[in-house]
PDB file of all heavy atoms in Angstrom:
ATOM      1  N   ARG T 279     -97.790 163.917 -79.187  1.00 96.00           N
ATOM      2  CA  ARG T 279     -98.284 165.138 -78.557  1.00 96.00           C
ATOM      3  C   ARG T 279     -98.635 166.205 -79.596  1.00 96.00           C
ATOM      4  O   ARG T 279     -99.552 166.984 -79.442  1.00 96.00           O
ATOM      5  CB  ARG T 279     -97.250 165.678 -77.566  1.00 96.00           C
ATOM      6  CG  ARG T 279     -96.999 164.843 -76.336  1.00 96.00           C
ATOM      7  CD  ARG T 279     -98.094 164.926 -75.334  1.00 96.00           C
ATOM      8  NE  ARG T 279     -98.469 166.270 -74.963  1.00 96.00           N
ATOM      9  CZ  ARG T 279     -97.837 167.021 -74.082  1.00 96.00           C
ATOM     10  NH1 ARG T 279     -96.816 166.549 -73.423  1.00 96.00           N
ATOM     11  NH2 ARG T 279     -98.261 168.260 -73.861  1.00 96.00           N
ATOM     12  N   THR T 280     -97.857 166.192 -80.695  1.00 95.00           N
ATOM     13  CA  THR T 280     -98.136 167.157 -81.808  1.00 95.00           C
ATOM     14  C   THR T 280     -99.490 166.838 -82.406  1.00 95.00           C
ATOM     15  O   THR T 280    -100.286 167.731 -82.717  1.00 95.00           O
ATOM     16  CB  THR T 280     -97.033 167.094 -82.862  1.00 95.00           C
ATOM     17  OG1 THR T 280     -95.764 167.383 -82.245  1.00 95.00           O
ATOM     18  CG2 THR T 280     -97.278 168.047 -83.984  1.00 95.00           C
ATOM     19  N   LEU T 281     -99.767 165.526 -82.598  1.00 94.00           N
ATOM     20  CA  LEU T 281    -101.073 165.131 -83.129  1.00 94.00           C
ATOM     21  C   LEU T 281    -102.197 165.540 -82.169  1.00 94.00           C
ATOM     22  O   LEU T 281    -103.227 166.063 -82.597  1.00 94.00           O
ATOM     23  CB  LEU T 281    -101.109 163.603 -83.346  1.00 94.00           C
ATOM     24  CG  LEU T 281    -100.377 163.066 -84.538  1.00 94.00           C
ATOM     25  CD1 LEU T 281    -100.406 161.548 -84.529  1.00 94.00           C
ATOM     26  CD2 LEU T 281    -100.977 163.593 -85.838  1.00 94.00           C
ATOM     27  N   GLN T 282    -102.007 165.257 -80.874  1.00 95.00           N
ATOM     28  CA  GLN T 282    -103.030 165.590 -79.884  1.00 95.00           C
ATOM     29  C   GLN T 282    -103.328 167.075 -79.860  1.00 95.00           C
ATOM     30  O   GLN T 282    -104.476 167.495 -79.663  1.00 95.00           O
ATOM     31  CB  GLN T 282    -102.605 165.131 -78.489  1.00 95.00           C
ATOM     32  CG  GLN T 282    -102.654 163.639 -78.302  1.00 95.00           C
ATOM     33  CD  GLN T 282    -102.113 163.269 -76.929  1.00 95.00           C
ATOM     34  OE1 GLN T 282    -101.384 164.018 -76.287  1.00 95.00           O
ATOM     35  NE2 GLN T 282    -102.481 162.076 -76.489  1.00 95.00           N
ATOM     36  N   ALA T 283    -102.297 167.872 -80.035  1.00 94.00           N
ATOM     37  CA  ALA T 283    -102.439 169.333 -79.957  1.00 94.00           C
ATOM     38  C   ALA T 283    -102.962 169.922 -81.260  1.00 94.00           C
ATOM     39  O   ALA T 283    -103.290 171.114 -81.327  1.00 94.00           O
ATOM     40  CB  ALA T 283    -101.100 170.014 -79.604  1.00 94.00           C
ATOM     41  N   GLY T 284    -103.052 169.111 -82.316  1.00 93.00           N
ATOM     42  CA  GLY T 284    -103.542 169.601 -83.610  1.00 93.00           C
ATOM     43  C   GLY T 284    -102.551 170.491 -84.308  1.00 93.00           C
ATOM     44  O   GLY T 284    -102.914 171.359 -85.064  1.00 93.00           O
ATOM     45  N   LYS T 285    -101.262 170.262 -84.056  1.00 94.00           N
ATOM     46  CA  LYS T 285    -100.223 171.139 -84.667  1.00 94.00           C
ATOM     47  C   LYS T 285     -99.469 170.454 -85.805  1.00 94.00           C
ATOM     48  O   LYS T 285     -98.419 170.926 -86.194  1.00 94.00           O
ATOM     49  CB  LYS T 285     -99.259 171.572 -83.601  1.00 94.00           C
ATOM     50  CG  LYS T 285     -99.863 172.505 -82.588  1.00 94.00           C
ATOM     51  CD  LYS T 285     -98.799 173.153 -81.744  1.00 94.00           C
ATOM     52  CE  LYS T 285     -99.406 174.235 -80.906  1.00 94.00           C
ATOM     53  NZ  LYS T 285     -98.383 175.172 -80.442  1.00 94.00           N
ATOM     54  N   LEU T 286    -100.011 169.379 -86.341  1.00 93.00           N
ATOM     55  CA  LEU T 286     -99.327 168.675 -87.412  1.00 93.00           C
ATOM     56  C   LEU T 286     -99.655 169.350 -88.742  1.00 93.00           C
ATOM     57  O   LEU T 286    -100.707 169.166 -89.324  1.00 93.00           O
ATOM     58  CB  LEU T 286     -99.708 167.208 -87.473  1.00 93.00           C
ATOM     59  CG  LEU T 286     -98.884 166.364 -88.432  1.00 93.00           C
ATOM     60  CD1 LEU T 286     -97.427 166.274 -87.967  1.00 93.00           C
ATOM     61  CD2 LEU T 286     -99.479 164.984 -88.552  1.00 93.00           C
ATOM     62  N   THR T 287     -98.739 170.217 -89.175  1.00 92.00           N
ATOM     63  CA  THR T 287     -98.877 170.883 -90.478  1.00 92.00           C
ATOM     64  C   THR T 287     -97.987 170.170 -91.475  1.00 92.00           C
ATOM     65  O   THR T 287     -97.235 169.251 -91.134  1.00 92.00           O
ATOM     66  CB  THR T 287     -98.425 172.343 -90.352  1.00 92.00           C
ATOM     67  OG1 THR T 287     -97.031 172.393 -90.004  1.00 92.00           O
ATOM     68  CG2 THR T 287     -99.249 173.121 -89.345  1.00 92.00           C
ATOM     69  N   GLU T 288     -98.027 170.604 -92.714  1.00 91.00           N
ATOM     70  CA  GLU T 288     -97.202 170.012 -93.773  1.00 91.00           C
ATOM     71  C   GLU T 288     -95.713 170.160 -93.405  1.00 91.00           C
ATOM     72  O   GLU T 288     -94.943 169.203 -93.554  1.00 91.00           O
ATOM     73  CB  GLU T 288     -97.518 170.665 -95.100  1.00 91.00           C
ATOM     74  CG  GLU T 288     -96.830 170.057 -96.280  1.00 91.00           C
ATOM     75  CD  GLU T 288     -97.362 168.685 -96.602  1.00 91.00           C
ATOM     76  OE1 GLU T 288     -98.505 168.389 -96.280  1.00 91.00           O
ATOM     77  OE2 GLU T 288     -96.610 167.907 -97.205  1.00 91.00           O
ATOM     78  N   LYS T 289     -95.324 171.308 -92.953  1.00 93.00           N
ATOM     79  CA  LYS T 289     -93.923 171.553 -92.582  1.00 93.00           C
ATOM     80  C   LYS T 289     -93.500 170.660 -91.404  1.00 93.00           C
ATOM     81  O   LYS T 289     -92.407 170.085 -91.434  1.00 93.00           O
ATOM     82  CB  LYS T 289     -93.725 173.033 -92.225  1.00 93.00           C
ATOM     83  CG  LYS T 289     -92.306 173.331 -91.791  1.00 93.00           C
ATOM     84  CD  LYS T 289     -92.145 174.736 -91.290  1.00 93.00           C
ATOM     85  CE  LYS T 289     -90.735 174.931 -90.787  1.00 93.00           C
ATOM     86  NZ  LYS T 289     -90.582 176.059 -89.915  1.00 93.00           N
ATOM     87  N   VAL T 290     -94.349 170.562 -90.397  1.00 94.00           N
ATOM     88  CA  VAL T 290     -94.031 169.747 -89.217  1.00 94.00           C
ATOM     89  C   VAL T 290     -93.974 168.271 -89.603  1.00 94.00           C
ATOM     90  O   VAL T 290     -93.089 167.531 -89.160  1.00 94.00           O
ATOM     91  CB  VAL T 290     -95.029 170.019 -88.087  1.00 94.00           C
ATOM     92  CG1 VAL T 290     -94.828 169.083 -86.919  1.00 94.00           C
ATOM     93  CG2 VAL T 290     -94.949 171.466 -87.626  1.00 94.00           C
ATOM     94  N   LEU T 291     -94.891 167.827 -90.439  1.00 94.00           N
ATOM     95  CA  LEU T 291     -94.854 166.443 -90.904  1.00 94.00           C
ATOM     96  C   LEU T 291     -93.559 166.139 -91.638  1.00 94.00           C
ATOM     97  O   LEU T 291     -92.925 165.111 -91.426  1.00 94.00           O
ATOM     98  CB  LEU T 291     -96.044 166.148 -91.840  1.00 94.00           C
ATOM     99  CG  LEU T 291     -96.126 164.754 -92.449  1.00 94.00           C
ATOM    100  CD1 LEU T 291     -96.235 163.699 -91.362  1.00 94.00           C
ATOM    101  CD2 LEU T 291     -97.267 164.649 -93.417  1.00 94.00           C
ATOM    102  N   LYS T 292     -93.100 167.071 -92.460  1.00 93.00           N
ATOM    103  CA  LYS T 292     -91.845 166.913 -93.172  1.00 93.00           C
ATOM    104  C   LYS T 292     -90.667 166.815 -92.205  1.00 93.00           C
ATOM    105  O   LYS T 292     -89.743 166.034 -92.417  1.00 93.00           O
ATOM    106  CB  LYS T 292     -91.632 168.039 -94.186  1.00 93.00           C
ATOM    107  CG  LYS T 292     -90.422 167.895 -95.043  1.00 93.00           C
ATOM    108  CD  LYS T 292     -90.373 168.924 -96.124  1.00 93.00           C
ATOM    109  CE  LYS T 292     -89.152 168.931 -96.961  1.00 93.00           C
ATOM    110  NZ  LYS T 292     -88.140 167.958 -96.814  1.00 93.00           N
ATOM    111  N   LEU T 293     -90.715 167.596 -91.132  1.00 94.00           N
ATOM    112  CA  LEU T 293     -89.662 167.513 -90.108  1.00 94.00           C
ATOM    113  C   LEU T 293     -89.561 166.088 -89.536  1.00 94.00           C
ATOM    114  O   LEU T 293     -88.483 165.545 -89.350  1.00 94.00           O
ATOM    115  CB  LEU T 293     -89.951 168.477 -88.971  1.00 94.00           C
ATOM    116  CG  LEU T 293     -89.625 169.951 -89.170  1.00 94.00           C
ATOM    117  CD1 LEU T 293     -90.103 170.741 -87.971  1.00 94.00           C
ATOM    118  CD2 LEU T 293     -88.152 170.141 -89.369  1.00 94.00           C
ATOM    119  N   PHE T 294     -90.724 165.524 -89.231  1.00 95.00           N
ATOM    120  CA  PHE T 294     -90.717 164.170 -88.653  1.00 95.00           C
ATOM    121  C   PHE T 294     -90.309 163.129 -89.690  1.00 95.00           C
ATOM    122  O   PHE T 294     -89.559 162.206 -89.359  1.00 95.00           O
ATOM    123  CB  PHE T 294     -92.113 163.838 -88.071  1.00 95.00           C
ATOM    124  CG  PHE T 294     -92.360 164.491 -86.737  1.00 95.00           C
ATOM    125  CD1 PHE T 294     -93.224 165.558 -86.641  1.00 95.00           C
ATOM    126  CD2 PHE T 294     -91.752 164.026 -85.599  1.00 95.00           C
ATOM    127  CE1 PHE T 294     -93.461 166.157 -85.425  1.00 95.00           C
ATOM    128  CE2 PHE T 294     -91.971 164.612 -84.370  1.00 95.00           C
ATOM    129  CZ  PHE T 294     -92.834 165.696 -84.282  1.00 95.00           C
ATOM    130  N   VAL T 295     -90.752 163.267 -90.914  1.00 94.00           N
ATOM    131  CA  VAL T 295     -90.371 162.307 -91.955  1.00 94.00           C
ATOM    132  C   VAL T 295     -88.884 162.400 -92.229  1.00 94.00           C
ATOM    133  O   VAL T 295     -88.221 161.365 -92.412  1.00 94.00           O
ATOM    134  CB  VAL T 295     -91.191 162.573 -93.257  1.00 94.00           C
ATOM    135  CG1 VAL T 295     -90.670 161.808 -94.426  1.00 94.00           C
ATOM    136  CG2 VAL T 295     -92.675 162.248 -93.024  1.00 94.00           C
ATOM    137  N   ASP T 296     -88.334 163.602 -92.257  1.00 94.00           N
ATOM    138  CA  ASP T 296     -86.910 163.790 -92.553  1.00 94.00           C
ATOM    139  C   ASP T 296     -85.978 163.200 -91.479  1.00 94.00           C
ATOM    140  O   ASP T 296     -84.779 163.088 -91.718  1.00 94.00           O
ATOM    141  CB  ASP T 296     -86.597 165.279 -92.741  1.00 94.00           C
ATOM    142  CG  ASP T 296     -87.168 165.813 -94.063  1.00 94.00           C
ATOM    143  OD1 ASP T 296     -87.570 164.999 -94.912  1.00 94.00           O
ATOM    144  OD2 ASP T 296     -87.191 167.048 -94.224  1.00 94.00           O
ATOM    145  N   THR T 297     -86.494 162.851 -90.309  1.00 94.00           N
ATOM    146  CA  THR T 297     -85.659 162.220 -89.292  1.00 94.00           C
ATOM    147  C   THR T 297     -85.241 160.833 -89.756  1.00 94.00           C
ATOM    148  O   THR T 297     -84.201 160.328 -89.308  1.00 94.00           O
ATOM    149  CB  THR T 297     -86.368 162.104 -87.943  1.00 94.00           C
ATOM    150  OG1 THR T 297     -87.498 161.251 -88.065  1.00 94.00           O
ATOM    151  CG2 THR T 297     -86.769 163.454 -87.420  1.00 94.00           C
ATOM    152  N   GLY T 298     -86.029 160.214 -90.606  1.00 92.00           N
ATOM    153  CA  GLY T 298     -85.730 158.858 -91.068  1.00 92.00           C
ATOM    154  C   GLY T 298     -85.996 157.768 -90.044  1.00 92.00           C
ATOM    155  O   GLY T 298     -85.657 156.597 -90.254  1.00 92.00           O
ATOM    156  N   SER T 299     -86.651 158.132 -88.954  1.00 93.00           N
ATOM    157  CA  SER T 299     -86.984 157.172 -87.914  1.00 93.00           C
ATOM    158  C   SER T 299     -88.009 156.163 -88.428  1.00 93.00           C
ATOM    159  O   SER T 299     -89.099 156.533 -88.872  1.00 93.00           O
ATOM    160  CB  SER T 299     -87.518 157.875 -86.684  1.00 93.00           C
ATOM    161  OG  SER T 299     -88.100 156.973 -85.781  1.00 93.00           O
ATOM    162  N   GLU T 300     -87.638 154.884 -88.391  1.00 94.00           N
ATOM    163  CA  GLU T 300     -88.535 153.837 -88.896  1.00 94.00           C
ATOM    164  C   GLU T 300     -89.830 153.786 -88.086  1.00 94.00           C
ATOM    165  O   GLU T 300     -90.918 153.546 -88.636  1.00 94.00           O
ATOM    166  CB  GLU T 300     -87.843 152.487 -88.851  1.00 94.00           C
ATOM    167  CG  GLU T 300     -86.752 152.347 -89.881  1.00 94.00           C
ATOM    168  CD  GLU T 300     -86.117 150.967 -89.865  1.00 94.00           C
ATOM    169  OE1 GLU T 300     -86.743 150.036 -89.366  1.00 94.00           O
ATOM    170  OE2 GLU T 300     -84.996 150.857 -90.368  1.00 94.00           O
ATOM    171  N   GLU T 301     -89.734 154.047 -86.760  1.00 95.00           N
ATOM    172  CA  GLU T 301     -90.925 154.029 -85.916  1.00 95.00           C
ATOM    173  C   GLU T 301     -91.872 155.177 -86.259  1.00 95.00           C
ATOM    174  O   GLU T 301     -93.089 155.002 -86.308  1.00 95.00           O
ATOM    175  CB  GLU T 301     -90.524 154.080 -84.465  1.00 95.00           C
ATOM    176  CG  GLU T 301     -89.774 152.849 -83.997  1.00 95.00           C
ATOM    177  CD  GLU T 301     -89.209 152.994 -82.614  1.00 95.00           C
ATOM    178  OE1 GLU T 301     -89.415 154.031 -81.944  1.00 95.00           O
ATOM    179  OE2 GLU T 301     -88.541 152.063 -82.174  1.00 95.00           O
ATOM    180  N   ILE T 302     -91.307 156.347 -86.528  1.00 94.00           N
ATOM    181  CA  ILE T 302     -92.155 157.498 -86.917  1.00 94.00           C
ATOM    182  C   ILE T 302     -92.787 157.238 -88.282  1.00 94.00           C
ATOM    183  O   ILE T 302     -93.985 157.479 -88.481  1.00 94.00           O
ATOM    184  CB  ILE T 302     -91.323 158.802 -86.957  1.00 94.00           C
ATOM    185  CG1 ILE T 302     -90.921 159.214 -85.520  1.00 94.00           C
ATOM    186  CG2 ILE T 302     -92.070 159.918 -87.623  1.00 94.00           C
ATOM    187  CD1 ILE T 302     -92.060 159.673 -84.644  1.00 94.00           C
ATOM    188  N   LEU T 303     -91.994 156.726 -89.213  1.00 94.00           N
ATOM    189  CA  LEU T 303     -92.548 156.445 -90.558  1.00 94.00           C
ATOM    190  C   LEU T 303     -93.640 155.389 -90.499  1.00 94.00           C
ATOM    191  O   LEU T 303     -94.653 155.488 -91.192  1.00 94.00           O
ATOM    192  CB  LEU T 303     -91.419 156.027 -91.508  1.00 94.00           C
ATOM    193  CG  LEU T 303     -90.357 157.087 -91.791  1.00 94.00           C
ATOM    194  CD1 LEU T 303     -89.238 156.514 -92.637  1.00 94.00           C
ATOM    195  CD2 LEU T 303     -90.983 158.311 -92.446  1.00 94.00           C
ATOM    196  N   ALA T 304     -93.452 154.360 -89.666  1.00 95.00           N
ATOM    197  CA  ALA T 304     -94.471 153.311 -89.506  1.00 95.00           C
ATOM    198  C   ALA T 304     -95.732 153.893 -88.865  1.00 95.00           C
ATOM    199  O   ALA T 304     -96.850 153.545 -89.269  1.00 95.00           O
ATOM    200  CB  ALA T 304     -93.935 152.165 -88.667  1.00 95.00           C
ATOM    201  N   LEU T 305     -95.538 154.775 -87.897  1.00 94.00           N
ATOM    202  CA  LEU T 305     -96.712 155.407 -87.245  1.00 94.00           C
ATOM    203  C   LEU T 305     -97.466 156.309 -88.226  1.00 94.00           C
ATOM    204  O   LEU T 305     -98.710 156.266 -88.277  1.00 94.00           O
ATOM    205  CB  LEU T 305     -96.213 156.236 -86.059  1.00 94.00           C
ATOM    206  CG  LEU T 305     -97.238 156.776 -85.101  1.00 94.00           C
ATOM    207  CD1 LEU T 305     -98.125 155.700 -84.534  1.00 94.00           C
ATOM    208  CD2 LEU T 305     -96.575 157.529 -83.969  1.00 94.00           C
ATOM    209  N   ILE T 306     -96.754 157.056 -89.042  1.00 94.00           N
ATOM    210  CA  ILE T 306     -97.403 157.888 -90.054  1.00 94.00           C
ATOM    211  C   ILE T 306     -98.166 157.017 -91.039  1.00 94.00           C
ATOM    212  O   ILE T 306     -99.302 157.316 -91.388  1.00 94.00           O
ATOM    213  CB  ILE T 306     -96.339 158.766 -90.771  1.00 94.00           C
ATOM    214  CG1 ILE T 306     -95.807 159.830 -89.804  1.00 94.00           C
ATOM    215  CG2 ILE T 306     -96.912 159.422 -92.025  1.00 94.00           C
ATOM    216  CD1 ILE T 306     -94.601 160.582 -90.329  1.00 94.00           C
ATOM    217  N   HIS T 307     -97.537 155.918 -91.465  1.00 94.00           N
ATOM    218  CA  HIS T 307     -98.187 155.009 -92.390  1.00 94.00           C
ATOM    219  C   HIS T 307     -99.421 154.341 -91.774  1.00 94.00           C
ATOM    220  O   HIS T 307    -100.488 154.239 -92.410  1.00 94.00           O
ATOM    221  CB  HIS T 307     -97.217 153.955 -92.860  1.00 94.00           C
ATOM    222  CG  HIS T 307     -97.784 152.995 -93.864  1.00 94.00           C
ATOM    223  ND1 HIS T 307     -98.077 153.350 -95.162  1.00 94.00           N
ATOM    224  CD2 HIS T 307     -98.140 151.681 -93.726  1.00 94.00           C
ATOM    225  CE1 HIS T 307     -98.589 152.303 -95.788  1.00 94.00           C
ATOM    226  NE2 HIS T 307     -98.609 151.293 -94.942  1.00 94.00           N
ATOM    227  N   SER T 308     -99.320 153.920 -90.516  1.00 95.00           N
ATOM    228  CA  SER T 308    -100.438 153.260 -89.857  1.00 95.00           C
ATOM    229  C   SER T 308    -101.602 154.190 -89.622  1.00 95.00           C
ATOM    230  O   SER T 308    -102.773 153.771 -89.618  1.00 95.00           O
ATOM    231  CB  SER T 308    -100.005 152.611 -88.534  1.00 95.00           C
ATOM    232  OG  SER T 308     -99.732 153.616 -87.587  1.00 95.00           O
ATOM    233  N   LEU T 309    -101.341 155.465 -89.456  1.00 92.00           N
ATOM    234  CA  LEU T 309    -102.404 156.448 -89.261  1.00 92.00           C
ATOM    235  C   LEU T 309    -102.903 156.988 -90.616  1.00 92.00           C
ATOM    236  O   LEU T 309    -103.799 157.855 -90.628  1.00 92.00           O
ATOM    237  CB  LEU T 309    -101.920 157.596 -88.398  1.00 92.00           C
ATOM    238  CG  LEU T 309    -101.602 157.214 -86.950  1.00 92.00           C
ATOM    239  CD1 LEU T 309    -100.946 158.384 -86.214  1.00 92.00           C
ATOM    240  CD2 LEU T 309    -102.857 156.789 -86.212  1.00 92.00           C
ATOM    241  N   ASN T 310    -102.305 156.509 -91.692  1.00 92.00           N
ATOM    242  CA  ASN T 310    -102.672 156.902 -93.055  1.00 92.00           C
ATOM    243  C   ASN T 310    -102.536 158.432 -93.263  1.00 92.00           C
ATOM    244  O   ASN T 310    -103.402 159.059 -93.876  1.00 92.00           O
ATOM    245  CB  ASN T 310    -104.091 156.440 -93.398  1.00 92.00           C
ATOM    246  CG  ASN T 310    -104.311 156.383 -94.903  1.00 92.00           C
ATOM    247  OD1 ASN T 310    -103.364 156.270 -95.662  1.00 92.00           O
ATOM    248  ND2 ASN T 310    -105.561 156.455 -95.303  1.00 92.00           N
ATOM    249  N   ILE T 311    -101.485 158.987 -92.704  1.00 90.00           N
ATOM    250  CA  ILE T 311    -101.211 160.412 -92.886  1.00 90.00           C
ATOM    251  C   ILE T 311    -100.381 160.570 -94.162  1.00 90.00           C
ATOM    252  O   ILE T 311     -99.330 159.940 -94.312  1.00 90.00           O
ATOM    253  CB  ILE T 311    -100.422 160.986 -91.682  1.00 90.00           C
ATOM    254  CG1 ILE T 311    -101.264 160.838 -90.416  1.00 90.00           C
ATOM    255  CG2 ILE T 311    -100.030 162.434 -91.913  1.00 90.00           C
ATOM    256  CD1 ILE T 311    -100.512 161.192 -89.142  1.00 90.00           C
ATOM    257  N   LYS T 312    -100.862 161.417 -95.036  1.00 85.00           N
ATOM    258  CA  LYS T 312    -100.181 161.641 -96.296  1.00 85.00           C
ATOM    259  C   LYS T 312     -99.959 163.111 -96.510  1.00 85.00           C
ATOM    260  O   LYS T 312    -100.783 163.940 -96.117  1.00 85.00           O
ATOM    261  CB  LYS T 312    -101.021 161.069 -97.457  1.00 85.00           C
ATOM    262  CG  LYS T 312    -101.212 159.575 -97.363  1.00 85.00           C
ATOM    263  CD  LYS T 312    -102.053 159.074 -98.502  1.00 85.00           C
ATOM    264  CE  LYS T 312    -102.210 157.573 -98.310  1.00 85.00           C
ATOM    265  NZ  LYS T 312    -103.132 157.006 -99.236  1.00 85.00           N
ATOM    266  N   PRO T 313     -98.826 163.451 -97.120  1.00 80.00           N
ATOM    267  CA  PRO T 313     -98.579 164.875 -97.390  1.00 80.00           C
ATOM    268  C   PRO T 313     -99.571 165.420 -98.417  1.00 80.00           C
ATOM    269  O   PRO T 313    -100.094 164.688 -99.252  1.00 80.00           O
ATOM    270  CB  PRO T 313     -97.168 164.914 -97.971  1.00 80.00           C
ATOM    271  CG  PRO T 313     -96.883 163.510 -98.412  1.00 80.00           C
ATOM    272  CD  PRO T 313     -97.752 162.625 -97.580  1.00 80.00           C
ATOM    273  N   ILE T 314     -99.837 166.675 -98.319  1.00 78.00           N
ATOM    274  CA  ILE T 314    -100.752 167.318 -99.247  1.00 78.00           C
ATOM    275  C   ILE T 314    -100.007 167.565-100.571  1.00 78.00           C
ATOM    276  O   ILE T 314     -98.918 168.123-100.563  1.00 78.00           O
ATOM    277  CB  ILE T 314    -101.258 168.666 -98.709  1.00 78.00           C
ATOM    278  CG1 ILE T 314    -102.037 168.420 -97.414  1.00 78.00           C
ATOM    279  CG2 ILE T 314    -102.110 169.393 -99.727  1.00 78.00           C
ATOM    280  CD1 ILE T 314    -102.401 169.693 -96.681  1.00 78.00           C
ATOM    281  N   LEU T 315    -100.564 167.086-101.624  1.00 76.00           N
ATOM    282  CA  LEU T 315     -99.942 167.273-102.929  1.00 76.00           C
ATOM    283  C   LEU T 315    -100.573 168.508-103.575  1.00 76.00           C
ATOM    284  O   LEU T 315    -101.764 168.547-103.850  1.00 76.00           O
ATOM    285  CB  LEU T 315    -100.153 166.037-103.822  1.00 76.00           C
ATOM    286  CG  LEU T 315     -99.563 164.743-103.263  1.00 76.00           C
ATOM    287  CD1 LEU T 315     -99.916 163.579-104.176  1.00 76.00           C
ATOM    288  CD2 LEU T 315     -98.054 164.868-103.139  1.00 76.00           C
ATOM    289  N   THR T 316     -99.757 169.482-103.823  1.00 76.00           N
ATOM    290  CA  THR T 316    -100.230 170.708-104.473  1.00 76.00           C
ATOM    291  C   THR T 316    -100.244 170.474-105.982  1.00 76.00           C
ATOM    292  O   THR T 316     -99.209 170.117-106.555  1.00 76.00           O
ATOM    293  CB  THR T 316     -99.293 171.873-104.133  1.00 76.00           C
ATOM    294  OG1 THR T 316     -99.157 171.982-102.707  1.00 76.00           O
ATOM    295  CG2 THR T 316     -99.814 173.179-104.682  1.00 76.00           C
ATOM    296  N   PRO T 317    -101.409 170.669-106.591  1.00 77.00           N
ATOM    297  CA  PRO T 317    -101.456 170.450-108.029  1.00 77.00           C
ATOM    298  C   PRO T 317    -100.621 171.475-108.805  1.00 77.00           C
ATOM    299  O   PRO T 317    -100.529 172.612-108.403  1.00 77.00           O
ATOM    300  CB  PRO T 317    -102.950 170.603-108.369  1.00 77.00           C
ATOM    301  CG  PRO T 317    -103.514 171.366-107.237  1.00 77.00           C
ATOM    302  CD  PRO T 317    -102.658 171.126-106.023  1.00 77.00           C
ATOM    303  N   VAL T 318    -100.007 170.994-109.829  1.00 76.00           N
ATOM    304  CA  VAL T 318     -99.200 171.862-110.699  1.00 76.00           C
ATOM    305  C   VAL T 318     -99.955 172.017-112.005  1.00 76.00           C
ATOM    306  O   VAL T 318    -100.267 171.036-112.673  1.00 76.00           O
ATOM    307  CB  VAL T 318     -97.795 171.277-110.933  1.00 76.00           C
ATOM    308  CG1 VAL T 318     -96.985 172.154-111.870  1.00 76.00           C
ATOM    309  CG2 VAL T 318     -97.076 171.051-109.622  1.00 76.00           C
ATOM    310  N   LEU T 319    -100.249 173.236-112.343  1.00 75.00           N
ATOM    311  CA  LEU T 319    -100.965 173.503-113.579  1.00 75.00           C
ATOM    312  C   LEU T 319     -99.974 173.456-114.749  1.00 75.00           C
ATOM    313  O   LEU T 319     -98.853 173.974-114.629  1.00 75.00           O
ATOM    314  CB  LEU T 319    -101.629 174.855-113.522  1.00 75.00           C
ATOM    315  CG  LEU T 319    -102.708 175.018-112.452  1.00 75.00           C
ATOM    316  CD1 LEU T 319    -103.208 176.451-112.417  1.00 75.00           C
ATOM    317  CD2 LEU T 319    -103.867 174.064-112.718  1.00 75.00           C
ATOM    318  N   PRO T 320    -100.348 172.845-115.794  1.00 72.00           N
ATOM    319  CA  PRO T 320     -99.443 172.753-116.954  1.00 72.00           C
ATOM    320  C   PRO T 320     -99.225 174.131-117.556  1.00 72.00           C
ATOM    321  O   PRO T 320    -100.166 174.981-117.550  1.00 72.00           O
ATOM    322  CB  PRO T 320    -100.134 171.822-117.931  1.00 72.00           C
ATOM    323  CG  PRO T 320    -101.561 171.833-117.512  1.00 72.00           C
ATOM    324  CD  PRO T 320    -101.605 172.126-116.052  1.00 72.00           C
TER     325      PRO T 320
END
């Protein structure tokens, strides 16, 4: 429902990943959802 509503932000994605649910992690992987990597300037 979060995906359908367009409310999946970086923080919300982390909330779902932090649950450790194998089904959620598999769903995230199957949808090819990846966290945004913020570049770090040297």
Side-chain angles (χ1 to χ4, degrees):
R279 293 285 309 277
T280 302
L281 284 175
Q282 288 176 339
K285 292 193 169 199
L286 188 66
T287 62
E288 187 69 25
K289 178 187 175 198
V290 173
L291 178 62
K292 185 172 176 4
L293 281 175
F294 283 106
V295 170
D296 288 347
T297 64
S299 168
E300 290 182 21
E301 294 172 2
I302 291 291
L303 295 175
L305 190 56
I306 290 170
H307 181 72
S308 70
L309 294 172
N310 201 23
I311 298 173
K312 297 180 181 173
I314 298 171
L315 300 176
T316 306
V318 178
L319 297 174

